[in-house]
Coordinates of all heavy atoms in Angstrom, one line a residue:
L121 N -45.5 26.3 -58.0 CA -44.5 27.0 -58.9 C -43.6 25.9 -59.4 O -42.7 25.5 -58.6 CB -43.8 28.1 -58.2 CG -44.6 29.2 -57.6 CD1 -43.8 30.0 -56.6 CD2 -45.2 30.1 -58.7
P122 N -43.6 25.5 -60.6 CA -42.7 24.4 -61.1 C -41.3 24.8 -61.0 O -40.4 24.0 -60.8 CB -43.2 24.1 -62.5 CG -44.0 25.3 -62.9 CD -44.6 25.9 -61.7
K123 N -41.0 26.1 -61.2 CA -39.7 26.7 -61.1 C -39.8 28.1 -60.6 O -40.7 28.9 -61.0 CB -39.0 26.7 -62.5 CG -37.6 27.2 -62.5 CD -37.0 27.1 -63.9 CE -35.6 27.6 -63.9 NZ -35.0 27.6 -65.3
I124 N -38.9 28.5 -59.7 CA -38.9 29.8 -59.1 C -38.2 30.8 -60.0 O -37.0 30.6 -60.3 CB -38.3 29.9 -57.7 CG1 -38.9 28.8 -56.8 CG2 -38.5 31.2 -57.1 CD1 -40.4 28.9 -56.6
R125 N -38.9 31.7 -60.5 CA -38.3 32.7 -61.4 C -37.9 34.0 -60.6 O -38.4 34.2 -59.5 CB -39.3 33.2 -62.5 CG -39.9 32.1 -63.4 CD -40.8 32.6 -64.4 NE -41.4 31.6 -65.3 CZ -42.3 31.8 -66.2 NH1 -42.7 33.1 -66.5 NH2 -42.7 30.8 -67.0
S126 N -37.0 34.7 -61.1 CA -36.5 35.9 -60.4 C -37.6 37.0 -60.5 O -37.7 37.8 -59.5 CB -35.2 36.4 -61.1 OG -35.4 36.7 -62.5
T127 N -38.4 37.0 -61.5 CA -39.5 38.0 -61.6 C -40.5 37.4 -62.5 O -40.3 36.6 -63.4 CB -39.0 39.3 -62.1 OG1 -40.0 40.3 -62.1 CG2 -38.4 39.2 -63.5
Y128 N -41.8 37.9 -62.3 CA -42.9 37.4 -63.1 C -43.6 38.7 -63.7 O -43.9 39.6 -63.0 CB -43.9 36.7 -62.2 CG -43.4 35.4 -61.7 CD1 -42.5 35.3 -60.7 CD2 -43.9 34.2 -62.3 CE1 -42.1 34.1 -60.2 CE2 -43.4 32.9 -61.8 CZ -42.5 32.9 -60.8 OH -42.0 31.7 -60.3
D129 N -43.8 38.6 -65.0 CA -44.4 39.8 -65.7 C -45.9 39.9 -65.3 O -46.5 38.9 -64.8 CB -44.3 39.7 -67.2 CG -45.0 38.5 -67.8 OD1 -46.2 38.5 -67.9 OD2 -44.3 37.5 -68.2
Q130 N -46.5 41.0 -65.5 CA -47.8 41.3 -65.1 C -48.8 40.4 -65.7 O -49.8 40.0 -65.1 CB -48.2 42.8 -65.3 CG -49.5 43.2 -64.7 CD -49.5 43.0 -63.1 OE1 -48.5 43.2 -62.5 NE2 -50.6 42.4 -62.6
G131 N -48.6 40.1 -67.0 CA -49.6 39.2 -67.7 C -49.6 37.8 -67.1 O -50.7 37.2 -66.9
T132 N -48.5 37.3 -66.7 CA -48.4 36.0 -66.1 C -49.1 36.0 -64.7 O -49.9 35.1 -64.4 CB -46.9 35.5 -65.9 OG1 -46.3 35.4 -67.2 CG2 -46.8 34.2 -65.2
L133 N -48.8 37.0 -63.9 CA -49.5 37.1 -62.6 C -51.0 37.3 -62.8 O -51.8 36.7 -62.0 CB -48.9 38.2 -61.8 CG -47.4 38.1 -61.4 CD1 -46.9 39.3 -60.8 CD2 -47.2 36.9 -60.5
Q134 N -51.4 38.0 -63.8 CA -52.8 38.3 -63.9 C -53.5 37.0 -64.3 O -54.7 36.8 -63.9 CB -53.0 39.3 -65.1 CG -54.4 39.9 -65.2 CD -54.9 40.6 -63.9 OE1 -54.2 41.5 -63.4 NE2 -56.0 40.2 -63.3
S135 N -52.9 36.1 -65.0 CA -53.5 34.9 -65.4 C -53.8 34.0 -64.1 O -54.9 33.4 -64.0 CB -52.6 34.1 -66.4 OG -51.5 33.5 -65.7
L136 N -52.9 34.1 -63.2 CA -53.2 33.4 -61.9 C -54.3 34.0 -61.1 O -55.2 33.4 -60.5 CB -51.9 33.3 -61.1 CG -52.0 32.6 -59.7 CD1 -52.5 31.1 -59.9 CD2 -50.7 32.6 -59.0
E137 N -54.2 35.4 -61.0 CA -55.3 36.1 -60.3 C -56.6 35.9 -60.9 O -57.6 35.7 -60.1 CB -54.9 37.6 -60.2 CG -53.7 37.9 -59.4 CD -53.4 39.4 -59.3 OE1 -54.4 40.2 -59.5 OE2 -52.3 39.8 -59.0
N138 N -56.7 35.8 -62.2 CA -58.0 35.6 -62.8 C -58.6 34.2 -62.5 O -59.7 34.0 -62.2 CB -57.9 35.7 -64.4 CG -57.6 37.2 -64.8 OD1 -57.8 38.1 -64.0 ND2 -57.2 37.3 -66.0
Y139 N -57.7 33.2 -62.5 CA -58.1 31.9 -62.1 C -58.5 31.8 -60.7 O -59.6 31.2 -60.4 CB -56.9 30.9 -62.4 CG -57.2 29.5 -61.9 CD1 -58.2 28.7 -62.4 CD2 -56.5 28.9 -60.8 CE1 -58.5 27.4 -62.0 CE2 -56.7 27.7 -60.3 CZ -57.7 26.9 -60.9 OH -58.0 25.6 -60.4
L140 N -57.8 32.3 -59.8 CA -58.2 32.3 -58.3 C -59.5 33.1 -58.1 O -60.3 32.7 -57.2 CB -57.0 32.8 -57.5 CG -55.8 32.0 -57.5 CD1 -54.7 32.7 -56.6 CD2 -56.0 30.6 -56.9
T141 N -59.7 34.1 -58.8 CA -60.9 34.9 -58.7 C -62.1 34.0 -59.1 O -63.1 34.0 -58.5 CB -60.9 36.2 -59.5 OG1 -59.8 37.0 -59.0 CG2 -62.2 36.9 -59.4
A142 N -61.9 33.4 -60.3 CA -63.0 32.5 -60.8 C -63.3 31.4 -59.8 O -64.4 31.0 -59.6 CB -62.6 31.9 -62.2
I143 N -62.2 30.8 -59.2 CA -62.4 29.7 -58.3 C -63.1 30.2 -57.0 O -64.0 29.5 -56.5 CB -61.0 29.1 -57.9 CG1 -60.6 28.1 -58.9 CG2 -61.0 28.5 -56.5 CD1 -60.5 26.7 -58.5
S144 N -62.7 31.3 -56.5 CA -63.3 31.8 -55.3 C -64.8 32.1 -55.4 O -65.6 32.0 -54.5 CB -62.6 33.1 -54.7 OG -62.6 34.1 -55.7
K145 N -65.2 32.5 -56.7 CA -66.6 32.8 -56.9 C -67.5 31.5 -56.9 O -68.7 31.6 -56.7 CB -66.7 33.5 -58.3 CG -66.3 35.0 -58.2 CD -66.4 35.7 -59.6 CE -66.0 37.1 -59.5 NZ -66.1 37.8 -60.8
T146 N -66.8 30.4 -57.2 CA -67.6 29.1 -57.3 C -67.7 28.5 -55.9 O -68.4 27.5 -55.7 CB -66.9 28.1 -58.2 OG1 -65.7 27.7 -57.7 CG2 -66.8 28.7 -59.6
G147 N -67.0 29.1 -54.9 CA -67.1 28.5 -53.5 C -66.3 27.2 -53.4 O -66.7 26.4 -52.6
N148 N -65.3 27.0 -54.1 CA -64.4 25.8 -54.1 C -65.2 24.5 -54.1 O -65.0 23.7 -53.2 CB -63.3 25.9 -53.1 CG -63.8 25.9 -51.6 OD1 -64.8 26.6 -51.4 ND2 -63.2 25.2 -50.7
G149 N -66.1 24.4 -55.0 CA -66.9 23.1 -55.2 C -68.0 23.0 -54.2 O -68.7 21.9 -54.2
I150 N -68.4 24.0 -53.5 CA -69.4 23.9 -52.5 C -70.6 24.9 -52.8 O -70.4 26.1 -53.1 CB -68.9 24.3 -51.1 CG1 -67.8 23.3 -50.6 CG2 -70.1 24.3 -50.0 CD1 -67.2 23.7 -49.3
D151 N -71.8 24.4 -52.8 CA -73.0 25.2 -53.0 C -73.2 26.0 -51.7 O -73.6 25.4 -50.7 CB -74.2 24.3 -53.4 CG -75.4 25.1 -53.7 OD1 -75.6 26.3 -53.2 OD2 -76.3 24.6 -54.4
R152 N -72.9 27.3 -51.7 CA -73.0 28.0 -50.4 C -74.4 28.3 -50.0 O -74.7 28.7 -48.9 CB -72.2 29.4 -50.6 CG -70.7 29.1 -50.8 CD -70.0 28.5 -49.6 NE -68.7 28.0 -49.8 CZ -68.0 27.4 -49.0 NH1 -68.5 27.1 -47.8 NH2 -66.8 26.9 -49.3
V153 N -75.4 28.2 -51.0 CA -76.8 28.4 -50.6 C -77.3 27.2 -49.9 O -77.9 27.3 -48.8 CB -77.6 28.7 -51.9 CG1 -79.1 28.9 -51.5 CG2 -77.1 30.0 -52.6
Q154 N -77.1 26.0 -50.4 CA -77.6 24.8 -49.8 C -76.6 24.2 -48.9 O -76.8 23.2 -48.3 CB -78.1 23.8 -50.9 CG -79.2 24.4 -51.8 CD -79.7 23.3 -52.7 OE1 -80.0 22.2 -52.4 NE2 -79.8 23.7 -54.0
N155 N -75.3 24.7 -48.9 CA -74.2 24.2 -48.1 C -73.9 22.7 -48.4 O -73.8 21.9 -47.5 CB -74.6 24.3 -46.6 CG -73.3 24.2 -45.7 OD1 -72.2 24.7 -46.1 ND2 -73.4 23.7 -44.5
L156 N -73.8 22.4 -49.7 CA -73.6 21.1 -50.2 C -72.2 21.0 -50.9 O -72.0 21.8 -51.8 CB -74.7 20.6 -51.1 CG -76.1 20.4 -50.5 CD1 -77.1 20.0 -51.5 CD2 -76.0 19.3 -49.4
Q157 N -71.4 20.0 -50.5 CA -70.2 19.8 -51.2 C -70.4 19.0 -52.5 O -71.3 18.2 -52.7 CB -69.2 19.0 -50.3 CG -68.8 19.7 -49.0 CD -68.0 18.7 -48.2 OE1 -68.5 17.8 -47.6 NE2 -66.7 18.9 -48.0
G158 N -69.4 19.2 -53.4 CA -69.4 18.4 -54.6 C -70.5 18.7 -55.6 O -70.7 17.8 -56.5
T159 N -71.2 19.8 -55.5 CA -72.3 20.1 -56.4 C -72.0 21.2 -57.3 O -72.8 21.5 -58.2 CB -73.5 20.4 -55.6 OG1 -73.3 21.5 -54.7 CG2 -74.0 19.2 -54.7
V160 N -70.9 21.9 -57.2 CA -70.5 23.0 -58.0 C -69.2 22.7 -58.8 O -68.2 22.4 -58.1 CB -70.4 24.3 -57.2 CG1 -70.0 25.5 -58.1 CG2 -71.6 24.6 -56.4
P161 N -69.2 22.8 -60.1 CA -68.0 22.5 -60.8 C -66.9 23.5 -60.6 O -67.1 24.7 -60.3 CB -68.4 22.6 -62.3 CG -69.9 22.6 -62.3 CD -70.3 23.2 -61.0
Y162 N -65.7 23.1 -60.6 CA -64.5 24.0 -60.6 C -64.3 24.5 -62.0 O -64.5 23.8 -63.0 CB -63.2 23.2 -60.2 CG -63.1 23.0 -58.7 CD1 -63.5 21.7 -58.1 CD2 -62.6 23.9 -57.8 CE1 -63.3 21.5 -56.8 CE2 -62.4 23.7 -56.5 CZ -62.8 22.5 -56.0 OH -62.6 22.2 -54.6
P163 N -63.9 25.8 -62.1 CA -63.5 26.3 -63.4 C -62.3 25.6 -63.9 O -61.4 25.2 -63.2 CB -63.3 27.8 -63.2 CG -63.0 27.9 -61.7 CD -63.7 26.8 -61.0
A164 N -62.1 25.6 -65.2 CA -60.9 25.0 -65.8 C -59.7 25.8 -65.5 O -59.8 27.0 -65.3 CB -61.1 24.9 -67.4
F165 N -58.6 25.1 -65.3 CA -57.3 25.8 -64.9 C -56.9 26.7 -66.1 O -56.7 26.3 -67.2 CB -56.3 24.8 -64.6 CG -55.0 25.4 -64.2 CD1 -54.9 25.9 -62.9 CD2 -53.8 25.4 -65.0 CE1 -53.7 26.5 -62.4 CE2 -52.7 26.0 -64.5 CZ -52.6 26.5 -63.2
S166 N -56.8 28.0 -65.8 CA -56.6 29.0 -66.9 C -55.3 29.8 -66.6 O -55.0 30.7 -67.5 CB -57.8 29.9 -67.0 OG -58.0 30.6 -65.7
A167 N -54.6 29.5 -65.6 CA -53.3 30.3 -65.3 C -52.3 29.8 -66.3 O -52.3 28.7 -66.9 CB -52.9 30.1 -63.9
N168 N -51.2 30.6 -66.5 CA -50.1 30.3 -67.4 C -49.5 29.0 -67.0 O -48.9 28.9 -65.9 CB -49.1 31.4 -67.4 CG -48.0 31.2 -68.4 OD1 -47.6 30.1 -68.7 ND2 -47.4 32.3 -68.9
P169 N -49.6 27.9 -67.8 CA -49.1 26.6 -67.3 C -47.6 26.5 -67.3 O -47.1 25.6 -66.6 CB -49.7 25.6 -68.4 CG -49.9 26.5 -69.6 CD -50.2 27.8 -69.1
D170 N -46.9 27.4 -67.9 CA -45.4 27.4 -67.8 C -44.9 28.0 -66.4 O -43.9 27.6 -66.0 CB -44.8 28.3 -68.9 CG -45.1 27.7 -70.3 OD1 -45.1 26.5 -70.4 OD2 -45.2 28.5 -71.2
A171 N -45.8 28.8 -65.8 CA -45.4 29.4 -64.5 C -46.1 28.8 -63.3 O -45.6 28.8 -62.2 CB -45.7 30.9 -64.6
F172 N -47.3 28.2 -63.6 CA -48.1 27.7 -62.5 C -48.7 26.3 -62.9 O -49.1 26.2 -64.1 CB -49.2 28.7 -62.1 CG -48.8 30.1 -61.9 CD1 -49.1 31.0 -62.9 CD2 -48.1 30.5 -60.8 CE1 -48.6 32.3 -62.8 CE2 -47.6 31.8 -60.7 CZ -47.9 32.7 -61.7
Q173 N -48.8 25.4 -61.9 CA -49.4 24.1 -62.2 C -50.3 23.6 -61.1 O -50.0 24.0 -59.9 CB -48.3 23.1 -62.5 CG -47.5 23.4 -63.8 CD -46.4 22.3 -64.0 OE1 -46.2 21.4 -63.2 NE2 -45.6 22.6 -65.1

Side-chain angles (χ1 to χ4, degrees):
L121 300 163
K123 183 179 179 181
I124 307 301
R125 302 180 181 180
S126 57
T127 185
Y128 292 77
D129 63 73
Q130 190 55 45
T132 298
L133 294 174
Q134 190 63 50
S135 73
L136 179 59
E137 291 184 21
N138 291 345
Y139 171 65
L140 293 177
T141 297
I143 276 250
S144 62
K145 287 181 178 179
T146 66
N148 63 322
I150 299 175
D151 184 334
R152 295 294 166 185
V153 177
Q154 301 185 47
N155 199 32
L156 293 174
Q157 293 173 292
T159 57
V160 178
Y162 282 97
F165 185 72
S166 57
N168 185 330
D170 296 327
F172 313 104
Q173 293 178 2

